[in-house]
Amino acid sequence: MYAKWAALTERSSHLALWSTFLKWIVLGGIVGVLSGTASAFFLKSLDYVTEVRLNHGWLLFLLPAGGALVSFLYMRYGKNSAKGNNLILEQIREGNEAIPLRMAPLVLFGTLITHLFGGSAGREGTAVQMGGSLAEGFGRLIKINALDRKILLMCGISGGFGSIFGTPLAGTIFGLEVIAIGLISHKALLPCFTASFVGDLVTTRLWKVHHTHYQVDVFPALDLVVLLKVIAAAIVFGLVSMLFSELTHFLKRTFTYIFKNPMLKSAVGGLIIIALVYVVGSRDYLGLGIPLISGSFETEMPPFAFLWKLIFTALTLGTGYQGGEVTPLFAIGATLGNSLAGVLHLYAPFLASLGFIAVFCGATNTPIACFIMGIELFGSTGAVYMFIACVVSFLFSGHTGIYTSQQIGVSKSSLISIPEGTTLASVKGLRKRKTKASGENHTNQ
């Protein structure tokens, strides 16, 4: 039957187009339902464990034990699930490993444990991993081919992202843009939009989950002085996003080298976070960081709030705790924008909104998705400033990012030559080899 239908569609281009349209509306929609339902359950559970933590401060002292437990589960049952988002990116590009269905419950449980006991982490990583693993499981069930499997995984990313933040358009582009820097595949445009749109509808309409909204009352008129100030701030946003990525990766490498046992690594990380709470004298930097974000749009924030949130999150993720990076990046960017507003003499909520999307942009190398997210969250009045902030931050974050398996499709500068197929993980080795070769040549001369 399928062969007859294929032969028929070959004779009619319109039948082929309709066939593809209907196919991906159905498949993308199913992935959207799965990822949206998973996100809704996760968000409600996250609200609950966060409330429990806030009402029982002593739970913080169980953070080392919670981290050790989650590390044990991943070590014993996780298989390649420990790769997280990077596993999904690798499979979209290469397709040589299976994404286990167990990734969804593992990352869900691990992230809830992180937040219950006070780790500083986000939710995007969890939503993307749940969406990707559920899409993979659905693809295996219907015996989908290798090419369609990759598109279905991209749908899982978009469905998870769009439903967890209530930004279906940004979710669509994020699933297309995050695979490779500088390259977007339009073959997955319809499927990813369907998954993201349906996922958001399922989360908000069916399961009645409400997302946090942030208000920016005034965007300044287009002005050269303001424009120059925004560019200066965006450069700082890009450098801070690079600092976050590099510090997180450095801590992961360092703690893994020092502590061969993942359980011990997480336990020590938990102890350091507890100690840091008392050094800082505040618990504001634990959890998602939603109060930090809200405060950045409402009042003056401590000047180094962004740095403390950055350190707490890098330590949490660097020592093996589960959770995403994106919401903490929102908090880092919003508080940094709030702090820069006084220096640059700009309206604090305006610069907080730019920092919100621009730091996230620099860390994920997804300028179009972040720009669209800004419009979905803050409206289109400041669209020009948002676009400039994302583009400049994207450039100044360099070839770094939170996803080490992200491929560098196009170099950010024509003066930097990067071989085809290079990932963010391998670009460092490339730089080291070039530096070594340059040193040897200089010695020979």
Side-chain angles (χ1 to χ4, degrees):
M1 176 66 80
Y2 180 79
K4 290 181 179 179
W5 176 253
L8 182 61
T9 55
E10 284 181 5
R11 299 191 192 101
S12 171
S13 60
H14 281 89
L15 273 177
L17 293 174
W18 270 105
S19 174
T20 300
F21 176 78
L22 293 174
K23 168 186 171 181
W24 285 115
I25 287 291
V26 173
L27 296 183
I30 292 173
V31 172
V33 170
L34 293 173
S35 57
T37 300
S39 291
F41 179 77
F42 171 50
L43 287 171
K44 289 186 176 183
S45 302
L46 191 56
D47 286 343
Y48 174 75
V49 299
T50 299
E51 185 177 353
V52 170
R53 174 177 61 82
L54 293 174
N55 291 331
H56 301 86
W58 57 267
L59 286 172
L60 175 64
F61 298 102
L62 297 180
L63 182 61
L69 171 62
V70 174
S71 292
F72 169 76
L73 292 175
Y74 269 87
M75 185 172 60
R76 183 69 182 272
Y77 305 107
K79 294 186 177 180
N80 57 355
S81 297
K83 291 183 179 180
N85 290 353
N86 288 311
L87 177 63
I88 299 173
L89 297 184
E90 289 170 8
Q91 296 321 296
I92 292 172
R93 191 171 62 249
E94 300 164 5
N96 53 6
E97 285 185 72
I99 298 174
L101 190 58
R102 70 186 67 188
M103 175 185 274
L106 274 173
V107 74
L108 173 64
F109 177 76
T111 304
L112 292 177
I113 289 292
T114 297
H115 285 279
L116 176 63
F117 297 133
S120 175
R123 50 193 174 178
E124 149 275 340
T126 306
V128 167
Q129 289 176 53
M130 289 193 299
S133 61
L134 291 171
E136 171 87 330
F138 172 59
R140 281 200 299 268
L141 183 66
I142 62 174
K143 296 181 171 57
I144 205 162
N145 63 48
L147 177 60
D148 287 350
R149 178 207 180 212
K150 295 180 179 181
I151 296 177
L152 212 59
L153 288 176
M154 294 170 75
C155 289
I157 294 176
S158 291
F161 190 96
S163 60
I164 207 72
F165 294 121
T167 54
L169 297 181
T172 301
I173 304 303
F174 185 80
L176 302 172
E177 197 176 16
V178 74
I179 312 302
I181 297 173
L183 299 177
I184 293 181
S185 172
H186 288 89
K187 66 184 178 185
L189 183 59
L190 174 65
C192 285
F193 170 71
T194 304
S196 185
F197 181 70
V198 172
D200 179 53
L201 281 181
V202 167
T203 303
T204 56
R205 302 291 177 85
L206 179 61
W207 299 114
K208 309 297 183 185
V209 173
H210 301 288
H211 298 285
T212 306
H213 295 283
Y214 309 101
Q215 187 68 34
V216 182
D217 298 320
V218 179
F219 283 96
L222 200 58
D223 176 83
L224 179 60
V225 174
V226 175
L227 190 64
L228 292 174
K229 290 179 179 180
V230 166
I231 291 172
I235 292 172
V236 177
F237 294 149
L239 295 175
V240 168
S241 67
M242 180 172 66
L243 173 63
F244 175 82
S245 300
E246 291 294 284
L247 180 60
T248 303
H249 298 321
F250 170 77
L251 291 175
K252 284 182 180 179
R253 291 192 304 269
T254 302
F255 276 91
T256 301
Y257 177 78
I258 296 173
F259 304 102
K260 306 301 180 185
N261 187 315
M263 296 169 60
L264 181 60
K265 176 178 71 174
S266 296
V268 171
L271 290 173
I272 294 174
I273 291 169
I274 293 171
L276 201 57
V277 166
Y278 286 92
V279 170
V280 178
S282 172
R283 299 193 178 200
D284 292 346
Y285 307 107
L286 302 178
L288 287 171
I290 298 295
L292 292 174
I293 301 173
S294 299
S296 298
F297 291 92
E298 296 168 359
T299 186
E300 184 178 348
M301 300 296 291
F304 293 106
F306 78 93
L307 187 58
W308 284 120
K309 184 59 179 175
L310 187 152
I311 293 171
F312 270 87
T313 307
L315 267 171
T316 299
L317 300 176
T319 53
Y321 287 84
Q322 294 300 310
E325 302 92 343
V326 171
T327 305
L329 284 169
F330 292 160
I332 294 166
T335 50
L336 176 58
N338 183 284
S339 298
L340 289 175
V343 177
L344 297 174
H345 303 289
L346 289 173
Y347 182 50
F350 162 62
L351 211 52
S353 69
L354 298 187
F356 183 105
I357 58 173
V359 172
F360 166 44
C361 168
T364 58
N365 296 297
T366 54
I368 308 303
C370 295
F371 166 64
I372 292 175
M373 171 175 265
I375 291 176
E376 287 185 292
L377 293 176
F378 307 117
S380 60
T381 308
V384 172
Y385 291 122
M386 291 183 209
F387 190 78
I388 291 170
C390 288
V391 170
V392 173
S393 177
F394 167 74
L395 178 62
F396 277 87
S397 67
H399 294 105
T400 65
I402 56 177
Y403 307 126
T404 54
S405 292
Q406 190 176 42
Q407 194 171 39
I408 303 174
V410 178
S411 174
K412 293 186 181 182
S413 171
S414 60
L415 301 177
I416 303 174
S417 178
I418 297 178
E420 185 179 346
T422 302
T423 63
L424 294 183
S426 58
V427 73
K428 281 189 176 182
L430 181 67
R431 285 199 295 262
K432 287 180 181 178
R433 289 194 296 272
K434 284 184 177 181
T435 303
K436 184 178 179 181
S438 176
E440 289 175 351
N441 291 337
H442 182 73
T443 301
N444 292 335
Q445 291 172 2

